[in-house]
Amino acid sequence: MAEQWLFWNDAAHGPAWNMAADEALLLEAPSRAVPVLRCYAWDRPAVSIGYIQTLDAAPAGYAAVRRPTGGGVVYHDFDFTFSVTFPMGHWLTGLDRMRSYDWLNRSLQRALRLLGFPAELAAQEIPHQVDRARMVCFTNPTRYDLLLEGRKIAGSAQRRTAEGLLHQASLHWGAPLPVERPRLVRALRQGLQETMEVETLPWEPTDGLLKHIQGLVTQKYGTDDWNRLR
């Protein structure tokens, strides 16, 4: 029997709102007790920086926001972005970090192959000499990222808390998306179904969750204190 997840096919939002939404989903994960897949977009050219990065790693001309997860600078201009939040106690939260990446990125790999893109999982690690405080995500492949013809096209980062696990991911071809976003969404859901035996059920956020998100925008992700944390 397939495991059931909730699926939020979200719209385009500002950078602060997008990060607040992912954190609110993580904070409320115990009350839902099932994972949530959220696919979303950005309402302006933006970059997100990893939690440990300095704000000056963000290029000029882009709205910038600090993620709750690690990793490098991610450009949100032509990308396809999604997240999955797992409540603590879900079987995937019991795996070590690399095995959890393996399951989720193999699901994305299957989605890309369904669309005709023969993506491969990267085997290398980021070299120690790379400055992680300023690195750009898609120029530094690491283990279980997805490569197409040797170029990184998908990266992800995670955060683990007492509430559960947040996995944030981005697909970027370095140009406008070669397939329409709805096709990517359908392929991702199918990739999860075929790889992890997951059924994703359409879901809409509650008024309480939306209020929680807006509170995090006002108090955290929309503030200089958060975005200039490092």
Side-chain angles (χ1 to χ4, degrees):
M1 182 176 179
E3 179 184 348
Q4 293 186 336
W5 294 6
L6 302 178
F7 166 56
W8 180 6
N9 193 17
D10 200 3
H13 300 283
W17 204 97
N18 275 333
M19 295 301 95
D22 280 348
E23 181 165 351
L25 287 169
L26 176 62
L27 292 171
E28 296 190 12
S31 65
R32 278 187 305 273
V34 294
V36 176
L37 167 66
R38 174 180 172 241
C39 295
Y40 56 99
W42 303 72
D43 66 3
R44 70 201 76 173
V47 295
S48 61
I49 61 173
Y51 178 74
I52 69 166
Q53 293 194 295
T54 56
L55 186 59
D56 63 4
Y62 289 82
V65 66
R66 182 180 303 281
R67 293 191 304 276
T69 57
V73 176
V74 177
Y75 285 78
H76 305 291
D77 41 12
F78 306 118
D79 75 329
F80 172 74
T81 319
F82 70 92
S83 67
V84 190
T85 47
F86 298 90
M88 187 57 67
H90 183 273
W91 65 265
L92 194 137
T93 68
L95 302 180
D96 66 32
R97 181 173 61 91
M98 298 314 299
R99 290 181 66 200
S100 65
Y101 277 115
D102 182 31
W103 275 107
L104 291 163
N105 289 352
R106 280 195 292 112
S107 300
L108 181 56
Q109 179 187 32
R110 177 58 184 157
L112 287 167
R113 290 187 171 187
L114 288 167
L115 294 168
F117 299 101
E120 299 291 342
L121 292 170
Q124 68 265 42
E125 302 288 351
I126 297 174
H128 293 297
Q129 64 268 26
V130 170
D131 180 4
R132 292 174 182 263
R134 300 182 59 83
M135 74 177 184
V136 176
C137 176
F138 280 77
T139 62
N140 292 281
T142 191
R143 191 176 179 192
Y144 295 128
D145 284 340
L146 287 167
L147 309 177
L148 186 63
E149 298 178 347
R151 179 186 177 276
K152 179 175 176 177
I153 65 162
S156 53
Q158 294 182 354
R159 179 183 177 189
R160 292 174 183 250
T161 67
E163 291 81 16
L165 185 153
L166 167 63
H167 179 91
Q168 294 181 310
S170 173
L171 267 170
H172 204 307
W173 274 263
L177 294 173
V179 295
E180 295 178 351
R181 190 173 296 272
R183 288 187 63 202
L184 282 167
V185 171
R186 289 194 297 270
L188 175 59
R189 295 174 73 185
Q190 187 174 345
L192 287 164
Q193 181 180 41
E194 294 184 10
T195 306
M196 299 180 65
E197 298 185 0
V198 165
E199 178 185 10
T200 51
L201 306 176
W203 174 80
E204 293 294 332
T206 63
D207 289 344
L209 177 63
L210 294 174
K211 184 177 180 180
H212 191 176
I213 293 168
Q214 191 55 55
L216 285 169
V217 170
T218 302
Q219 299 163 19
K220 187 173 184 178
Y221 290 98
T223 69
D224 278 347
D225 284 348
W226 170 255
N227 290 312
R228 297 186 182 278
L229 187 63
R230 306 291 175 185

